[in-house]
Amino acid sequence: MRILGINALFHDPAAALVIDGRTVAAAEEERFSRRKHGKRPLPFSAWELPEQAAAWCLKRAGLRPQDLDAVTYSFDPRLARPADEMGLDDPWDHLRLTYAREAPGFLKASLPGLDPEIVRFVPHHMAHAASGAFAAEDAGTSSVLVLDGRGERASHLAARRVHDRLEALYAQDLPHSLGLVYEELTDHLGFLRSSDEFKVMALASHGRPRMLPELRRYVHPTGDGGFRATGVPWAELCPRRRPDEAWTQDHADVAASAQAVLEETLLDLVRWLHGQTHDRLLTLAGGVALNCVANSRIAREGPFDRVWVQPAAGDAGTALGGALLLAAGGGDDPDPMAGADLGRDWSDSELGAWLKTAAVPFDRPADIAETVAEALADNAIVAWFQGRSEFGPRALGHRSLLAHPGHAGNLERLNDVKGREQFRPVAPMVLADRAAEIFDGVVPSPYMLFVHDVAPEWRERIPAVVHVDGTARIQTVDRRSEPLVARMLTEFERRTGLPVVVNTSLNTAGRPMVDDPRDALECFGSSPVDLLAIGPYAVRRGDFFRSDDTDDAAR
């Protein structure tokens, strides 16, 4: 079966293409439109579709819309209830339901030739669940937990995969929602809700959970697989922070308290689910599953032997999950995800043509990995643009900013380059076979979705990647699947004695991750990055801004 998955209704619109159970392509609309998260999650924008992402997925496979067997849409309006009946204050939510019901017609207009009769509505949380249960390796019989802001009428799903079926075990009805509570706190702390929740997680490391007893009155598990989470009086716990205000210790403490109560509740849900299934593997999906601190506690203290998190755990991942769910139900055996590199790429000749068109000076070294390692050893900041772009919010060695981890000042330097808050950490990438020497936690960790304690003897050697609490959110690199990144890491260690490189996303604050060569050149030209490694080519900042060389290149 040829199935195109679509996520559109709330936020992070995305498309994914699954053919005969194999994920061929997946991409988020933001990478094409250059609007962070694709759109704001408002009822008035619910009609917007991932038109460019969907068209690219089809082009990648050489398909036309009329060649598809099915299109999935990861929201089923038939399951929804009016917002006020669910205890939500959202008077325009009825627009979402109207747009969802009309989605087949909108898709026909966006993809000329598509038969709207092949569009299938997939329940939102089942699509999330499938994105974990059918994408993880060796997950034929496994448990799955989904938590996010909201779906049609729930905010959580506990389920089990048994071969080609997903069985729902429990769903928490709205208005109780761990995701919405965390979103409310994000807004209260002066950040952008449904976007900046990871900033709250980072800020929590600077605080103490002294407000935890008070928060437990409003957020707690019920012991039956569900929870209560609504009505938190944030203003009584700490003053509201304006976006242009400095954060205070009270703000950090309330973030730490919210993080703690989230972890407590998740652990109870995980233990309840294991008590129902006794499975060895737990897969996680939904926006809450991007909380890598909570994931680590689940892996460390929970009853499951293995925890796997969908790298595109937010709503973008439901495009893939919906397609995988329908594929499994139609008799195709879904292949596990081989990696998150499911987006666009360009050949060496195409990249060279881009650089010539841009009239920038560049060269082609004998080995770009060695060139980058040498630059990093000299404390350069490198923009790394290689292979297919990542699906999901993490840069995983395809669209990355790299730096030397041995200089503490590189944390501040990178945050300045990206134009973001100084309390934000950056992450280390490390060869998978070296990770256990340095980091204590889930290994391998290829998708940067867990935090690890940094061994005390390494903290002073790689200070740029050690967070204030002594942890790091690592990415392990497999030599077989990422040979170029592995070679760069090996060459860097040969020069410095450090098997670790700083890795953060190739973008600046408020902008989507770089995706195509034009994005890479714009980012390189507008921020103090020393070297752009784009495919096999090197663009050096000194040459880029040397007027005589630029004039020569233009001629």
Side-chain angles (χ1 to χ4, degrees), residues 454-529:
V454 183
E457 63 271 22
W458 279 93
R459 292 180 186 180
E460 292 187 1
R461 298 187 65 187
I462 52 172
V465 297
V466 182
H467 198 28
V468 66
D469 58 0
T471 65
R473 186 187 68 197
I474 78 169
Q475 176 201 350
T476 57
V477 175
D478 189 303
R479 297 177 191 271
R480 295 164 299 179
S481 58
E482 296 287 353
L484 184 66
V485 179
R487 193 161 71 249
M488 179 271 294
L489 287 167
T490 299
E491 289 297 322
F492 180 75
E493 182 179 14
R494 188 169 66 85
R495 288 165 170 80
T496 65
L498 302 175
V500 172
V501 163
V502 178
N503 172 29
T504 188
S505 56
L506 181 52
N507 66 330
T508 52
R511 295 181 62 81
M513 210 184 310
V514 160
D515 196 81
D516 75 11
R518 184 187 301 277
D519 305 333
L521 287 164
E522 288 178 352
C523 186
F524 179 72
S526 63
S527 56
V529 174

Side-chain angles (χ1 to χ4, degrees), residues 79 130 153 162 184 256 389 410 412 548:
L79 302 177
R153 58 194 299 171
V162 180
E184 291 167 4
S389 59
N410 278 343
E412 181 177 353
D548 55 340

Side-chain angles (χ1 to χ4, degrees), residues 21-356:
R22 183 173 66 90
T23 302
V24 173
E28 295 163 76
E29 188 72 4
E30 68 163 22
R31 310 296 170 85
F32 299 83
S33 69
R34 310 310 297 160
R35 293 174 60 196
K36 188 73 171 175
H37 297 295
K39 61 182 179 181
R40 291 300 299 144
L42 302 170
F44 308 99
S45 67
W47 62 272
E48 296 182 38
L49 295 169
E51 298 182 15
Q52 296 179 80
W56 172 78
C57 285
L58 294 177
K59 181 180 178 182
R60 176 82 187 190
L63 297 178
R64 303 166 301 163
Q66 52 265 47
D67 297 326
L68 293 167
D69 296 302
V71 176
T72 62
Y73 184 86
S74 55
F75 184 91
D76 190 341
R78 296 166 297 189
L79 302 177
R81 295 163 50 201
D84 57 349
E85 290 184 16
M86 296 187 292
L88 299 178
D89 182 15
D90 194 349
W92 293 100
D93 189 55
H94 63 89
L95 284 179
R96 286 196 183 95
L97 302 187
T98 298
Y99 293 143
R101 284 190 288 266
E102 299 300 327
F106 291 159
L107 285 163
K108 178 185 177 182
S110 298
L111 298 170
L114 178 73
D115 179 1
E117 294 299 318
I118 70 170
V119 177
R120 302 286 181 266
F121 292 115
V122 176
H124 186 72
H125 288 115
M126 289 295 280
H128 267 308
S131 77
F134 289 115
E137 190 174 3
D138 297 324
T141 301
S142 55
S143 301
V144 57
L145 189 66
V146 173
L147 291 121
D148 64 359
R150 59 164 294 193
E152 293 88 356
R153 58 194 299 171
S155 68
H156 148 272
L157 175 68
R160 191 183 196 206
R161 175 189 172 182
V162 180
H163 305 304
D164 62 351
R165 294 183 300 105
L166 269 182
E167 176 189 358
L169 301 177
Y170 191 98
Q172 176 58 59
D173 286 341
L174 293 164
H176 299 284
S177 169
L178 293 171
L180 290 181
V181 164
Y182 216 86
E183 283 185 21
E184 291 167 4
L185 176 59
T186 300
D187 177 72
H188 187 73
L189 291 177
F191 304 123
L192 185 62
R193 68 184 300 160
S194 296
S195 175
D196 292 349
E197 282 70 27
F198 58 92
K199 295 182 182 181
V200 177
M201 183 180 67
L203 185 60
S205 298
H206 294 262
R208 295 177 295 108
R210 59 182 179 82
M211 304 169 192
L212 181 55
E214 179 67 13
L215 271 180
R216 286 177 177 143
R217 295 174 54 192
Y218 304 96
V219 180
H220 57 265
T222 53
D224 58 356
F227 55 87
R228 294 292 173 264
T230 189
V232 180
W234 298 113
E236 296 178 14
L237 298 176
C238 76
R240 185 179 184 86
R241 173 185 167 270
R242 295 192 308 271
D244 58 348
E245 257 185 326
W247 60 271
T248 68
Q249 192 59 51
D250 283 346
H251 295 130
D253 288 351
V254 76
S257 303
Q259 179 67 31
V261 79
L262 172 71
E263 293 170 18
E264 287 183 353
T265 306
L266 290 178
L267 274 171
D268 186 90
L269 300 180
V270 166
R271 288 166 179 150
W272 180 89
L273 178 55
H274 186 266
Q276 305 300 306
T277 68
H278 305 289
D279 291 327
R280 298 184 63 189
L281 171 63
L282 171 69
T283 65
L284 297 173
V288 175
L290 292 173
N291 191 305
C292 55
V293 178
N295 295 344
S296 300
R297 192 166 175 195
I298 289 171
R300 185 174 64 250
E301 300 179 30
F304 288 91
D305 294 343
R306 185 162 69 97
V307 177
W308 189 90
V309 185
Q310 164 58 239
D315 274 8
T318 65
L320 176 58
L324 290 174
L325 184 66
L326 194 63
D332 292 337
D333 185 16
D335 289 342
M337 282 181 69
D341 51 332
L342 297 168
R344 291 188 286 178
D345 64 348
W346 287 263
S347 68
D348 293 352
S349 60
E350 289 171 327
L351 292 174
W354 270 90
L355 295 173
K356 290 173 183 175

